[in-house]
Amino acid sequence: MAMSMFFNFMFPPPSSIFVTAMSIISFVALANYGISEIRGKHLNYSKFWNANNNKTNSVKQIKLSSKVGMLLLYTPAFLAGAVSFWIFPNEGLRSTILQGALTLHYFKRVFESLFVHKYSGSMILDSAIPITLSYLMSTITMIYGQHLTKDLPEPQINLIYPGIVLFLVGIIGNFYHHFLLSKLRGKGEKEYKIPKGGLFGIVICPHYMFEIIDFYGVFFISQTLYSLIFAIGTTFYLLGRSHATRNWYLSKFEDFPKNVKAVIPFVF
């Protein structure tokens, strides 16, 4: 009964070994990275680019500039989304909106990497590669999984339009808070400051909160099991990363307000 109600909201899982394997890999990898962040083992980018010093000192690491690293993270997924319009043309409204949402999401990230973000550190290649692969393979899998639903009946409850709203709220909120972060530093400044404005007075990572909203919007648009699994996995990872970020601010700034949560207002 519960499963029957569940699938009122979703297409049935496709009989695809590739999509099934990617569902397992994506969830396990993202959840594991989230747990690792809480335990203090960080992916080496942003303020944690030089974390895990014991490993960095014992093994020669390849460092990228932050801008190059960020472009490496997002460009392949953006190109995959753009090319999908040529590979899977005229697949219907749902597929077209999904392709557009994913392409826009990663185009925004490329744009921010080039013109919005201000950088102070580096990125370790060993951290950039799994993130790049996660974004790229999840984009490919979501679009391919949607293609496999082409001849299936639509879910009884259509979530496309609520999904568009969630996606737009997420992508706009994420961009706005990235813009606020970029304004913390003047020309030539590289030191970190306590973020202010927007929702930074409530959570230290509102940009993560809106990214989570963004990907649940993508799930609502898609209504496939893989898009839900990726959204949940992303939630686990960003919960862990935001927890580590809050702890970092607490350790660096004595005047950091203790009432500011990590990513979920008033809760976590």
Side-chain angles (χ1 to χ4, degrees):
M1 178 68 176
M3 288 300 292
S4 176
M5 290 181 62
F6 183 67
F7 285 114
N8 286 338
F9 294 89
M10 294 197 336
F11 290 100
S15 55
S16 165
I17 295 176
F18 171 73
V19 175
T20 301
M22 283 303 303
S23 298
I24 297 169
I25 292 168
S26 293
F27 180 78
V28 171
L30 288 166
N32 180 62
Y33 280 127
I35 293 169
S36 295
E37 291 287 340
I38 292 173
R39 290 177 173 174
K41 185 178 179 181
H42 308 295
L43 289 173
N44 298 114
Y45 67 94
S46 186
K47 58 182 60 62
F48 298 108
W49 79 267
N50 62 347
N52 314 321
N53 282 325
N54 290 337
K55 178 182 177 182
T56 303
N57 292 332
S58 62
V59 180
K60 185 175 179 60
Q61 300 287 305
I62 299 174
K63 289 196 298 187
L64 308 171
S65 73
S66 288
K67 179 177 282 190
V68 169
M70 288 293 181
L71 288 172
L72 175 62
L73 300 189
Y74 304 122
T75 303
F78 162 65
L79 293 176
V83 169
S84 73
F85 286 99
W86 175 68
I87 297 175
F88 299 123
N90 306 317
E91 295 249 309
L93 177 65
R94 188 186 296 275
S95 290
T96 301
I97 293 174
L98 175 69
Q99 290 167 285
L102 291 171
T103 304
L104 178 60
H105 174 86
Y106 290 109
F107 171 79
K108 180 189 78 72
R109 300 312 297 269
V110 170
F111 176 85
E112 290 172 335
S113 299
L114 289 171
F115 304 113
V116 177
H117 295 320
K118 293 180 181 176
Y119 304 102
S120 61
S122 302
M123 184 180 296
I124 304 300
L125 182 62
D126 283 359
S127 291
I129 289 173
I131 300 172
T132 300
L133 289 174
S134 175
Y135 289 148
L136 173 62
M137 295 308 298
S138 64
T139 300
I140 290 170
T141 306
M142 273 191 260
I143 292 172
Y144 176 64
Q146 203 69 49
H147 166 72
L148 296 178
T149 69
K150 188 169 74 167
D151 296 324
L152 297 177
E154 286 282 320
Q156 292 185 31
I157 300 172
N158 187 348
L159 299 176
I160 288 180
Y161 298 107
I164 293 172
V165 173
L166 276 180
F167 173 76
L168 291 176
V169 168
I171 199 170
I172 292 169
N174 179 265
F175 177 81
Y176 174 65
H177 288 90
H178 280 164
F179 177 77
L180 291 180
L181 286 173
S182 75
K183 293 303 177 184
L184 288 174
R185 293 175 180 159
K187 187 174 182 181
E189 291 183 336
K190 291 191 174 183
E191 71 275 8
Y192 280 92
K193 302 175 183 178
I194 299 174
K196 299 184 185 302
L199 296 182
F200 282 111
I202 301 174
V203 293
I204 195 58
C205 295
H207 47 307
Y208 288 170
M209 181 185 74
F210 282 107
E211 184 161 0
I212 291 169
I213 293 170
D214 179 327
F215 277 113
Y216 280 101
V218 169
F219 159 60
F220 276 31
I221 291 168
S222 176
Q223 294 185 242
T224 61
L225 182 59
Y226 178 78
S227 62
L228 175 60
I229 287 171
F230 187 76
I232 294 172
T234 298
T235 302
F236 275 109
Y237 172 64
L238 292 180
L239 285 174
R241 186 75 174 186
S242 64
H243 174 78
T245 298
R246 183 177 185 273
N247 285 345
W248 184 90
Y249 276 103
L250 284 168
S251 71
K252 297 293 183 182
F253 299 95
E254 292 182 359
D255 58 339
F256 181 81
K258 304 297 189 295
N259 63 307
V260 172
K261 299 297 185 181
V263 67
I264 303 174
F266 314 113
V267 177
F268 178 83

